[in-house]
């Protein structure tokens, strides 16, 4: 695992734990290989157990608390994505799936965050014009 990924995990995890404490939590990391969904209307199948195990072991030890918190956040993100997946534009689904699986197995939290950021940026860009 590269130091950039470890740093991203640490920064994202610290932010996530703050949100968990507030009941809002999300973790923004992805490490490992997803399989393609059987239809465009299905959320991609990732390996949250494998991903969260790697997150929990990323500091050189192993933390059951980190693994549990990670799994809770992955489940919450998946549960949010599942009913809305069919309404997400194909281009956004494809791009965000690439982002969420860039490190390997994939993260539903990263997928959710990517989609949220794409929607927010589209709204902003629709109202933005370059000024000379």
């Amino acid at each position: 695992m590269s130091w950039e990924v470890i740093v991203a995990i640490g920064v994202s995890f610290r932010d996530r734990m703050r949100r968990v404490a507030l009941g809002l939590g999300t973790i923004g990391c992805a490490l490992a290989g997803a399989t393609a969904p059987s239809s465009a209307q299905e959320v991609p199948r990732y390996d949250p157990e494998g991903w969260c195990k790697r997150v929990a072991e990323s500091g050189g030890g192993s933390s059951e608390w980190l693994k549990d918190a990670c799994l809770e956040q992955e489940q919450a993100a998946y549960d949010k994505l599942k009913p809305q997946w069919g309404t997400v534009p194909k281009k956004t689904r494809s791009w965000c799936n690439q982002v969420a699986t860039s490190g390997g197995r994939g993260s539903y939290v990263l997928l959710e965050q990517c989609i949220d950021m794409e929607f927010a940026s589209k709204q902003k860009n629709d109202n933005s014009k370059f000024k000379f």
Side-chain angles (χ1 to χ4, degrees), residues 54-76:
R54 288 190 69 184
V55 168
E57 294 173 350
S58 66
S62 182
S63 170
E64 291 299 320
W65 176 76
L66 289 176
K67 184 177 178 185
D68 180 57
C70 176
L71 283 170
E72 285 180 16
Q73 296 309 306
E74 290 294 318
Q75 186 68 60

Side-chain angles (χ1 to χ4, degrees), residues 5 10 14 21 24 29 34 38 51 69 88 90-91 104 111:
V5 172
R14 185 174 53 243
L24 303 174
C29 305
S38 59
W51 156 242
V88 177
K90 182 179 178 181
K91 181 179 172 184
L111 182 64

Side-chain angles (χ1 to χ4, degrees), residues 2 17-18 28 35 47-48 65-66 85-86 110 126:
S2 73
M17 288 303 101
R18 285 186 198 126
T35 59
D47 177 14
W65 176 76
L66 289 176
W85 187 253
L110 190 56
D126 285 348

